[in-house]
Amino acid sequence: MTSEALPSEGIKKCDAHTYISTSCDATCDFGIQLGACLQAGDVLVLTGDLGAGKTQMTKGIAQGMGVHEEVTSPTFTIQMVYEGTTLPLYHFDLYRLNDAEQLGDTGLWDVLGADGPCVIEWGEQFLDELGDDGLDVYLTRLDSEVAAGIEPPRRISLHPRGARASQLVEQLAQRFDV
């Protein structure tokens, strides 16, 4: 799927702020659509339990931006940079951080508001430090909706903070209105 392709049939739009993904591939497809909307300086904070789909969504975001490299979660390196067609993608995993003072060592301050979007996994504890304009993306496994052993759907909830993030939510909603 390219960023020009239609959204996945595995994504159900509940409203402009809430979607249901029926599979890992659909979560990636959602990310592709989101990635195609991103601009330099955009900040996304992906929140969810282990296995909720944060890295899967980031893989889609990267693909939607034209990244051809394999995308993995930078749990130990904390930051990865991927070159997209027109913009770099800055991918952070802040799982191992527990204090805002540690953010200075991650390289995050160097790229926030810079020449590409930042996707931050496990950044919810640092929202105050990340600025007033960002899109918080909550991924929730809906384990109770399927039998044990079956991959559950995910709820994707979008919470914009600021004008640009609200614009992103609107652009994404339009992509799923086709």
Side-chain angles (χ1 to χ4, degrees), residues 7-72:
S8 170
E9 292 181 15
I11 297 289
K12 176 187 172 205
K13 179 181 173 188
C14 302
D15 59 48
H17 294 262
T18 309
Y19 299 79
I20 301 295
S21 167
T22 60
S23 68
C24 287
D25 286 343
T27 300
C28 185
D29 289 347
F30 183 89
I32 290 170
Q33 298 304 317
L34 180 55
C37 297
L38 294 179
Q39 298 176 1
D42 287 341
V43 177
L44 306 178
V45 178
L46 307 185
T47 300
D49 291 335
L50 287 171
K54 296 178 297 296
T55 302
Q56 196 67 26
M57 181 170 292
T58 303
K59 288 178 181 185
I61 290 168
Q63 190 176 344
M65 292 178 59
V67 172
H68 297 290
E69 299 172 62
E70 181 181 354
V71 173
T72 60

Side-chain angles (χ1 to χ4, degrees), residues 89-130:
L89 171 63
Y90 300 102
H91 181 200
F92 291 86
D93 183 325
L94 305 181
Y95 180 77
R96 298 184 309 127
L97 280 77
N98 53 23
D99 188 297
E101 290 181 16
Q102 296 172 302
L103 292 173
D105 296 330
T106 66
L108 183 62
W109 302 139
D110 298 330
V111 298
L112 275 181
D115 60 340
C118 290
V119 173
I120 305 167
E121 297 185 38
W122 300 100
E124 61 273 12
Q125 70 227 21
F126 305 114
L127 290 179
D128 290 341
E129 290 79 16
L130 294 176

Side-chain angles (χ1 to χ4, degrees), residues 155-172:
R155 179 182 306 111
I156 302 168
S157 301
L158 307 175
H159 299 267
R161 294 179 286 112
R164 172 62 189 143
S166 294
Q167 184 183 43
L168 265 175
V169 170
E170 290 174 25
Q171 285 178 299
L172 192 58

